[in-house]
């Protein structure tokens, strides 16, 4: 439904809501995390849609969908987090992080990325210990009966990827000469 008081010219380009930003220069392309996230989201949608159809037509659901979905959501979250850190789209208080002199912004960025780095190192080490315990004690998942370390191994793997991305960010920050 169009409004007669608003003129619409189809030749006018549509302005994006958010400005288009180029990706930072990184040695390992961010397309890895992007394609991983897109692929996982597509698989999640397919699994969920299939389960809805099965539930609709048979009044039962696949038992394995919840386990697989939780595992895929963890990997999706970690891949998105890795990409967000490099692109500087992670959650932060912009009134504090983006105000003041460039040297103050750089110092705050170094401090915050160091804290995040320490957190993800701890997460990676502890989740690796969890995987080792699940492997040693031969734990299996309740619905499918597969070893739970098959799911858990991705947490330290993706945690390591985030640690490496943050190390790269810190290296670039420390090399920049902002006074």
């Amino acid at each position: 439904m169009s409004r007669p008081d608003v003129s619409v010219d189809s030749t006018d380009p549509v302005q994006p809501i958010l400005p288009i930003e180029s990706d930072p220069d990184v040695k390992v392309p961010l397309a890895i995390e992007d394609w991983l996230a897109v692929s996982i989201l597509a698989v999640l949608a397919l699994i969920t849609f299939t389960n809805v159809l099965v539930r609709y037509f048979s009044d039962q659901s696949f038992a394995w969908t919840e386990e697989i979905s939780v595992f895929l959501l963890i990997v999706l979250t970690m891949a998105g987090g890795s990409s967000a850190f490099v692109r500087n789209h992670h959650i932060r208080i912009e009134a504090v992080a983006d105000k003041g002199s460039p040297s103050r912004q750089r110092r705050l960025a170094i401090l915050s990325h160091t804290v995040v780095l320490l957190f993800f190192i701890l997460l990676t080490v502890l989740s690796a210990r969890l995987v080792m315990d699940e492997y040693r004690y031969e734990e299996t998942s309740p619905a499918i009966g597969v070893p739970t370390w098959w799911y858990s191994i991705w947490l330290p793997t993706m945690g390591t990827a985030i640690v490496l991305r943050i190390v790269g960010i810190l290296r670039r920050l420390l090399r920049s000469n902002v006074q």
Side-chain angles (χ1 to χ4, degrees), residues 72-135:
L72 289 174
L73 279 172
I74 290 170
V75 177
L76 177 65
T77 302
M78 299 293 277
S82 176
S83 176
F85 280 114
V86 175
R87 290 184 171 115
N88 208 21
H89 290 171
H90 52 81
I91 296 174
R92 62 189 178 158
I93 302 171
E94 290 181 358
V96 175
D98 294 342
K99 301 296 182 212
S101 68
S103 65
R104 178 182 178 274
Q105 291 178 18
R106 180 176 171 267
R107 285 192 311 268
L108 284 175
I110 290 170
L111 175 67
S112 67
H113 283 89
T114 302
V115 170
V116 169
L117 177 66
L118 293 174
F119 169 79
F120 276 103
I121 288 172
L122 181 66
L123 177 74
T124 302
V125 168
L126 292 177
S127 61
R129 289 180 61 188
L130 171 73
V131 170
M132 291 304 296
D133 285 346
E134 289 176 346
Y135 180 78

Side-chain angles (χ1 to χ4, degrees), residues 14 50 129:
V14 177
T50 303
R129 289 180 61 188

